[in-house]
């Protein structure tokens, strides 16, 4: 191992360039589908620097690529920073970890971000990892993409990485690691084999428009069967950009395993004021087998009001075969100071005036509370004509089995000339 112990701030890279640590004798990229057997021999360490320093800064390269590959970068407040226009790629690196990828290496003081992009104008783009296992990064702390421009700009792709997971895939080196995005339409994971990330902590999307979260393991190990002790699930929330409240919208969350181990969280998945977001084919509160309880599950999915913005027109599941999510075993931690409703899905924006949310075709099972809780307040009493805007529940009077069929009789007191689904 050749260690470069940085003693002063490094200049930004402002031209088309590739820095490839695998060109060095003895280095080799990963060849495993699970874990990594990569050998990295160049370490850039910033532990001697004061807080606030960046290790490798990818700067101005309009229309062209800057690539770093096969490096260990640790000990900086920001290990890799993307600060200007260009197509930037970070692949096959160990960021924020020791050379073995077995433990985190923090900066001299404060916290660390492993990849930070702050888009201030058009043309910012960063790709972290890819679906190829040889490009897998091992990330110790955080991947952070944000836009401080209005309207927001920039783009990013995060694929195939271990975040808070050791290089061999056997341990959690930072259970509270995260991928956080503000206002940028990022793609986290993807449809290709190997595109999904393993994220020990949580995913946070704030004010994004058109993001995709697909085929990731969030809050688990690489098998999807062991919960991270710091797993934090998934949050879709709002961002304040130039004093404008911008909710997360038109984001697709598809075919992920999402687990939380934090009893203080309201739910495994929280949607705060978001709109037109779609959740399909996810396992929420269960392992990758789709049936074993995993983590702490105070609620499955919670749609909540935030800063006078109500969740509206979100889709949980769907009407096509296979669109539904598995949302299971909601049960609050008895030691928690406040107890949620322990529902599979709570819809705090259930009043029609807020805009409808669509909850269809899901397997919601094993919850201690309601399967679907409209108003997030437990059972809402029926009212005459459904005047409160929260859909009344049907009152069943009989169920008769005869000749191989079941005939159910009941009534629904609600608004006339309105369609309802069963």
């Amino acid at each position: 191992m050749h260690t470069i112990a940085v003693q002063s701030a490094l200049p930004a890279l402002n031209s088309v360039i590739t820095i490839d640590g695998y060109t060095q004798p003895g280095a080799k990229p990963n060849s495993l589908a699970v874990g990594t057997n990569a050998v990295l021999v160049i370490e850039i360490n910033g532990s001697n620097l004061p807080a606030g320093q960046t290790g490798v800064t990818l700067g101005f390269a309009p229309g062209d690529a800057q690539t770093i590959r096969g490096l260990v970068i640790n000990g900086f407040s920001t290990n890799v920073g993307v600060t200007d226009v260009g197509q930037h790629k970070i692949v096959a690196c160990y960021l924020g970890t020791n050379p073995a990828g077995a433990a985190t290496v923090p900066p001299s003081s404060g916290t660390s971000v492993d990849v930070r992009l702050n888009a201030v104008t058009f043309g910012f783009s960063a790709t972290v990892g890819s679906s190829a296992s040889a490009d897998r990064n091992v990330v110790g702390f955080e991947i952070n993409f944000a836009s401080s421009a209005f309207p927001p700009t920039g783009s990013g792709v995060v694929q195939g990485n271990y975040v808070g997971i050791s290089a061999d895939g056997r341990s959690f080196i930072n259970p509270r690691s995260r991928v956080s995005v503000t206002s940028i339409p990022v793609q986290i994971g993807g449809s290709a084999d190997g595109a999904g990330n393993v994220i020990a902590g949580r995913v946070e999307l704030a004010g994004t428009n058109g993001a995709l979260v697909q085929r990731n393991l969030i809050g688990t190990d690489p098998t999807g069967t062991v919960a991270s002790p710091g797993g934090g699930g998934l949050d879709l929330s709002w961002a304040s950009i130039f004093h404008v409240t911008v909710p997360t919208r038109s984001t697709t969350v598809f075919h992920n395993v999402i687990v939380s181990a934090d009893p203080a969280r309201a739910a495994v998945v929280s949607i705060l004021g978001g709109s037109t977001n779609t959740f399909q084919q996810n396992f929420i509160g269960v392992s990758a087998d789709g049936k074993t309880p995993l983590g702490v599950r105070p609620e499955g999915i919670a749609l909540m009001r935030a800063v006078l913005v109500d969740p509206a027109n979100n889709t949980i599941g769907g009407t096509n075969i296979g669109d539904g999510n598995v949302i299971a075993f909601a049960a609050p931690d008895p030691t928690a100071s406040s107890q949620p409703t322990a529902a599979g899905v709570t819809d705090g924006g259930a009043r029609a005036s807020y805009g409808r949310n669509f909850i269809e075709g899901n397997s919601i099972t094993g919850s201690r509370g309601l399967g679907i809780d409209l108003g997030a307040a437990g059972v809402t009493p029926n009212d005459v004509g459904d005047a409160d805007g929260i859909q009344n529940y049907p009152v069943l009077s009989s169920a008769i089995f005869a000749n191989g069929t079941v005939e159910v009789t009941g009534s629904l007191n609600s608004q006339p000339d309105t369609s309802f689904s069963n």
Side-chain angles (χ1 to χ4, degrees):
M1 174 58 60
H2 305 282
T3 298
I4 303 170
V6 178
Q7 303 299 317
S8 60
L10 297 174
L13 303 175
N14 288 314
S15 62
V16 178
I17 190 171
T18 295
I19 302 176
D20 189 352
Y22 290 120
T23 61
Q24 299 303 300
K28 69 171 186 177
N30 172 51
S31 61
L32 301 178
V34 178
T36 175
N37 59 0
V39 178
L40 284 70
V41 299
I42 303 295
E43 176 186 22
I44 303 174
N45 175 267
S47 297
N48 294 325
L49 297 177
Q53 299 298 313
T54 298
V56 175
T57 300
L58 301 178
F60 187 69
D64 289 300
Q66 292 180 325
T67 301
I68 59 171
R69 181 172 184 264
L71 301 176
V72 180
I73 307 172
N74 56 39
F76 298 90
S77 295
T78 299
N79 288 311
V80 179
V82 178
T83 63
D84 216 325
V85 173
Q87 307 297 314
H88 308 291
K89 296 181 180 180
I90 303 103
V91 296
C93 293
Y94 289 4
L95 305 173
T97 77
N98 64 9
T104 59
V105 178
S108 58
S109 63
T111 59
S112 184
V113 174
D114 296 299
V115 179
R116 186 192 302 274
L117 178 148
N118 182 21
V120 298
T121 187
F122 293 98
F124 279 65
S125 174
T127 298
V128 183
S130 81
S131 60
S133 61
D135 287 342
R136 177 179 299 136
N137 296 291
V138 178
V139 177
F141 296 96
E142 177 181 355
I143 298 171
N144 179 286
F145 289 177
S147 174
S148 57
F150 188 80
T153 183
S155 63
V157 176
V158 180
Q159 291 186 332
N161 304 289
Y162 282 3
V163 181
I165 305 288
S166 63
D168 62 11
R170 298 176 181 174
S171 61
F172 301 106
I173 58 174
N174 185 0
R176 297 190 178 277
S177 56
R178 63 180 179 169
V179 176
S180 59
V181 181
T182 301
S183 304
I184 289 179
V186 72
Q187 177 178 331
I188 302 173
S191 60
D193 290 342
N197 304 277
V198 184
I199 302 166
R202 64 189 187 275
V203 173
E204 301 172 344
L205 304 179
T208 61
N209 182 5
L212 173 67
V213 181
Q214 184 176 15
R215 296 186 70 175
N216 302 283
L217 300 174
I218 302 171
T220 80
D221 73 342
T223 68
T225 61
V226 178
S228 165
L234 171 66
D235 288 337
L236 273 62
S237 62
W238 56 276
S240 180
I241 304 173
F242 288 89
H243 306 291
V244 176
T245 298
V246 180
T248 293
R249 57 217 185 277
S250 302
T251 287
T252 299
V253 180
F254 183 78
H255 202 64
N256 305 276
V257 175
I258 308 174
V259 172
S260 173
D262 185 354
R265 286 182 57 84
V268 179
V269 176
S270 296
I271 305 172
L272 284 79
S275 64
T276 62
N277 301 296
T278 301
F279 285 73
Q280 293 181 334
Q281 297 188 22
N282 299 287
F283 290 168
I284 297 172
V286 295
S287 74
D289 65 9
K291 58 186 179 181
T292 303
L294 204 60
V296 176
R297 305 163 303 279
E299 292 173 356
I301 299 178
L303 296 107
M304 298 178 286
R305 196 179 200 215
V307 195
L308 304 179
V309 178
D310 296 290
N313 299 307
N314 298 288
T315 299
I316 312 296
T319 57
N320 296 321
I321 295 175
D323 282 350
N325 305 279
V326 175
I327 307 167
F329 308 111
D333 185 338
T335 65
S337 58
S338 62
Q339 295 296 324
T341 63
V345 180
T346 61
D347 187 352
R351 296 181 187 274
S353 60
Y354 297 161
R356 293 181 177 181
N357 294 300
F358 303 91
I359 306 169
E360 306 170 298
N362 303 289
S363 173
I364 305 175
T365 183
S367 300
R368 291 190 184 179
L370 298 172
I372 301 172
D373 184 354
L374 302 181
V379 176
T380 304
N382 283 346
D383 61 319
V384 176
D386 224 353
D388 64 0
I390 298 178
Q391 182 177 317
N392 285 343
Y393 56 83
V395 177
L396 306 183
S397 57
S398 67
I400 300 173
F401 177 78
N403 300 320
T405 63
V406 177
E407 180 179 292
V408 178
T409 303
S411 62
L412 176 65
N413 187 324
S414 192
Q415 298 175 6
D417 301 319
T418 303
S419 297
F420 299 92
S421 59
N422 55 16

